[in-house]
Amino acid sequence: MGEPYLTMRAEEEATGEFEDRRSRFIAQLVHVESEAEAEAFIAEVRGRHHDARHNVPAWILSDGRERCSDDGEPSRTSGMPTLDVLRGAGLADVCCVVTRYFGGTLLGPGGLVRAYTAATQAAVAAAEKDGAIVEMTLVTPVTVQLPYALYDRVTRLCSDAGGHVTDSLFAEDVQLTCVFRSGDEQRFVAAVRELANGEDLARASEPRFAEF
């Protein structure tokens, strides 16, 4: 728990294609955060390619849950190879659906494994090329309520502790939201407390995964 992982950037979709003996394989890869989101994307692709012979899904969530289906292809020739590519790429919170348009020639189990693997690898490569794969890190947001006189010093303390300011609200006082890699915020909170002569101006929130 807490280890960084790679995922697709939200709202982006990567595709990869492979063709063998006129059978066309189209892999479609997106970010999902739940089983329900994965199922919704699978349904969307099935609607998009309703005339295809197979729409083979595989998904992995960051909590360790994963699932795949051969969708009518011979057992372990399509869903598992697709899932294996996602695992091998270190991806989580992703769903990939590989659509197959049958070309009239049976490819055999080995040919199917190669085809589904190649299409999924092509989608991952396309995502990497487009900068659509991002690293998710366990981060801790910290909210600081401070007088204007301390603004510059607190932002410097944030930077010195390896964090960055993500939001600033200027009213009677200043409210800053800072984000740190989880663990680094403790140094910042202690430094702000010392600056404020023991007053707790900085409050850490629950850790969460985010780009950093």
Side-chain angles (χ1 to χ4, degrees):
M1 177 61 184
E3 290 299 312
Y5 64 91
L6 301 176
T7 191
M8 281 287 293
R9 195 183 299 278
E11 310 300 328
E12 296 202 28
E13 181 175 330
T15 60
E17 292 197 29
F18 180 79
E19 191 168 318
D20 185 4
R21 285 164 279 183
R22 298 178 64 186
S23 272
R24 186 176 168 218
F25 300 81
I26 309 163
Q28 297 130 112
L29 178 66
V30 297
H31 175 82
V32 295
E33 295 187 359
S34 66
E35 182 173 350
E37 287 187 15
E39 292 299 332
F41 179 66
I42 293 164
E44 178 190 328
V45 172
R46 284 179 174 150
R48 185 190 301 174
H49 296 291
H50 58 88
D51 54 339
R53 177 68 68 91
H54 305 280
N55 285 291
V56 170
W59 52 261
I60 303 177
L61 299 181
S62 56
D63 62 9
R65 284 182 293 160
E66 59 183 30
R67 190 169 300 168
C68 64
S69 165
D70 292 308
D71 193 41
E73 292 280 33
S75 179
R76 301 180 70 83
T77 61
S78 52
M80 190 58 71
T82 300
L83 187 62
D84 282 343
V85 172
L86 302 182
R87 287 173 178 158
L91 293 168
D93 284 346
V94 291
C95 179
C96 184
V97 182
V98 184
T99 299
R100 180 190 183 186
Y101 285 95
F102 184 55
T105 302
L106 296 175
L107 304 184
L112 289 174
V113 169
R114 284 191 296 273
Y116 280 97
T117 297
T120 308
Q121 287 173 335
V124 172
E128 290 171 341
K129 182 181 177 182
D130 293 342
I133 291 181
V134 295
E135 183 179 73
M136 301 298 277
T137 302
L138 194 64
V139 301
T140 299
V142 178
T143 303
V144 191
Q145 199 82 29
L146 67 151
Y148 278 80
L150 296 181
Y151 176 78
D152 287 339
R153 293 171 73 183
V154 169
T155 54
R156 192 158 52 245
L157 288 175
C158 174
S159 178
D160 289 347
H164 55 259
V165 176
T166 59
D167 192 32
S168 305
L169 181 63
F170 298 94
E172 290 185 16
D173 288 332
V174 183
Q175 180 176 296
L176 298 180
T177 302
C178 309
V179 175
F180 302 84
R181 293 183 188 273
S182 288
D184 290 351
E185 81 284 351
Q186 296 169 8
R187 173 183 164 198
F188 172 71
V189 170
V192 172
R193 185 184 300 117
E194 182 179 344
L195 180 65
N197 298 316
E199 189 177 350
D200 286 323
L201 301 182
R203 297 183 181 277
S205 303
E206 287 295 312
R208 59 181 171 82
F209 276 100
E211 289 183 60
F212 186 78

